[in-house]
Amino acid sequence: MFKTIADPADCEVRSVIRFLIAKKVKPAEIHCQLVQIYGENVMTDGMVRKWVRQFNDGSTNVHDEARSERPSVVNDGLVAKVNEKIRENRRFTIRMLFDEFLQISKTVLYEIFTNRLNYRKLCSRWIPKMFTDVHKTK
């Protein structure tokens, strides 16, 4: 009967809700119409009711509000300093690095040298992840 629309943008669905509120359509009927057009996974009935309440309270914004994120302490300079410390002494522990860089947690340090610097632990030495199969067999 209707052509379904796959993967709609969130703001598109909210705009439709706002339009149907202006036409005085009830929230349950709005949800039914959304499911008919966008499919089962579009939005729950509770979320439709939440957006209906927000639009009835005077909200006109259909876009997500900007969220404040925690600023990252990891930058390129810090990664370079950590890399320098690792190259000075390959037989280090996370605790030894943590004592050098007090402003960073142990977890973040571990993430820096495993994800950003691509180091892996091999026989109690941290090495770059660049070994070939020949190197590994030796």
Side-chain angles (χ1 to χ4, degrees):
M1 183 170 143
F2 295 108
K3 180 181 175 189
T4 59
I5 300 171
D7 296 327
D10 291 339
C11 60
E12 176 184 350
V13 175
R14 293 174 196 150
S15 297
V16 171
I17 292 171
R18 188 169 173 220
F19 173 77
L20 292 173
I21 290 170
K23 289 182 73 174
K24 306 262 188 243
V25 179
K26 296 184 189 276
E29 181 60 30
I30 292 174
H31 182 256
C32 288
Q33 289 183 24
L34 289 174
V35 168
Q36 282 179 347
I37 299 299
Y38 295 112
E40 289 291 323
N41 297 326
V42 64
M43 190 181 281
T44 63
D45 186 49
M47 286 302 291
V48 170
R49 292 179 189 280
K50 175 189 163 215
W51 281 103
V52 167
R53 261 191 318 270
Q54 284 185 358
F55 290 133
N56 285 337
D57 289 342
S59 175
T60 59
N61 189 9
V62 294
H63 299 287
D64 289 327
E65 294 180 9
R67 297 180 181 151
S68 62
E69 294 183 11
R70 192 176 197 178
S72 176
V73 296
V74 180
N75 56 30
D76 292 335
L78 183 62
V79 172
K81 287 179 187 175
V82 170
N83 192 25
E84 195 176 301
K85 282 290 182 190
I86 292 171
R87 291 187 182 272
E88 283 176 13
N89 177 15
R90 294 283 175 105
R91 293 173 191 246
F92 68 91
T93 63
I94 295 175
R95 180 69 186 172
M96 289 167 57
L97 266 183
F98 180 67
D99 292 340
E100 295 285 329
F101 300 97
L102 295 175
Q103 74 272 21
I104 308 171
S105 70
K106 292 176 193 167
T107 307
V108 172
L109 277 172
Y110 184 78
E111 291 292 322
I112 287 173
F113 58 81
T114 56
N115 295 341
R116 298 280 294 265
L117 295 173
N118 271 341
Y119 282 105
R120 299 291 180 256
K121 190 153 185 154
L122 177 72
C123 299
S124 77
R125 287 186 69 194
W126 289 92
I127 56 169
K129 189 181 169 186
M130 294 182 280
F131 275 129
T132 62
D133 290 333
V134 175
H135 289 114
K136 291 177 184 176
T137 57
K138 287 182 180 180

